[in-house]
Structure formats: C-alpha cells, structure tokens
Amino acid sequence: MNELSDQALTLAAIAPFADGPIAIEGVGHIRHHECDRIRAICTELSRLGIRVEERHDGLMVYPGQPTPTVVNTYDDHRMAMALALIGARVDKIELDDPGCVAKTCPSYFSMLAQTGIGVKTVSS
C-alpha cells in the first residue's frame, strides 16, 4: 500500500470485519507522520480486542468483534477518521479527541451522519 498509505489506517479499521486476515505492507513511512501510525493503530485495535501484529513496514489484522471503548486519536486526524468508522458497526465507540479532524476535514462527522451512520457529539 505504499502509494495508498493515507488509506492504510482506513483499511486497518475495517479489517476486523473481513472474513480473513488482512496484511497491510509497504507503509513503514507512516511511522513518521503526526504519530507513529502503525504503532498507534495496532495499539488501538488491540484495545478494542482485535488481534493485530505490528510489523516494521505495516501490520496484520485478524477478524474479530471490536468491543466498545474510548480510543486514542493521538491528535492525528487520520487516526480519528479511521477509528470512527468502527462505530458504523459497533455501538459506543468513542474518540478521545474527535476535534483533531479539523486539520483536514472539519465536516467529517457531519458527512458521516449524512450517510446514516449514527454520530453522537458530546458537549463539554
């Protein structure tokens, strides 16, 4: 996925719902973005109860049923957008900092809601 590395997190987030393991390779450079995206997505998928193997240039995600929890976005817009997609299939997935999507797509959650995905915002 070297040339599609911006979509690697999205694929990782939906991979638990596949019928078999999903290998994402050739994206080692995403370790040097807003956060170490490989380590971050592996950590958060693991926190959701998903079996995942971190590799030097990617990861392997195994099918499973994510359990509701609050996930860390690492102040990374792509992490937030990818992890939010899990909420399309699993109730009560919460992001610790959904506002970080403002960096590239401030209307992300409005657009998700327009697709019929239930989006709940919480006021401080």
Side-chain angles (χ1 to χ4, degrees):
M1 289 196 69
N2 186 46
E3 293 185 27
L4 298 171
S5 63
D6 283 347
Q7 287 72 43
L9 296 178
T10 302
L11 179 57
I14 63 174
F17 306 107
D19 293 335
I22 301 292
I24 299 171
E25 301 172 336
V27 295
H29 60 281
I30 70 171
R31 289 187 179 277
H32 310 288
H33 287 241
E34 284 80 350
C35 67
D36 177 342
R37 289 179 172 166
I38 293 173
R39 168 115 345 120
I41 196 70
C42 288
T43 298
E44 297 312 307
L45 288 174
S46 293
R47 290 184 65 242
L48 288 162
I50 300 302
R51 180 178 164 211
V52 59
E53 295 172 7
E54 182 176 341
R55 298 179 175 173
H56 74 281
D57 74 334
L59 59 147
M60 175 77 80
V61 183
Y62 293 85
Q65 181 59 40
T67 56
T69 193
V70 177
V71 291
N72 188 347
T73 63
Y74 301 81
D75 196 30
D76 185 330
H77 57 121
R78 294 207 187 277
M79 284 290 296
M81 290 188 277
L83 291 167
L85 294 177
I86 295 171
R89 297 275 310 263
V90 179
D91 288 337
K92 299 183 181 175
I93 297 296
E94 297 180 37
L95 306 179
D96 72 334
D97 180 19
C100 68
V101 301
K103 177 178 182 177
T104 54
C105 190
S107 60
Y108 181 75
F109 294 106
S110 296
M111 292 186 315
L112 266 185
Q114 289 174 4
T115 70
I117 294 173
V119 174
K120 180 181 173 186
T121 58
V122 179
S123 301
S124 311

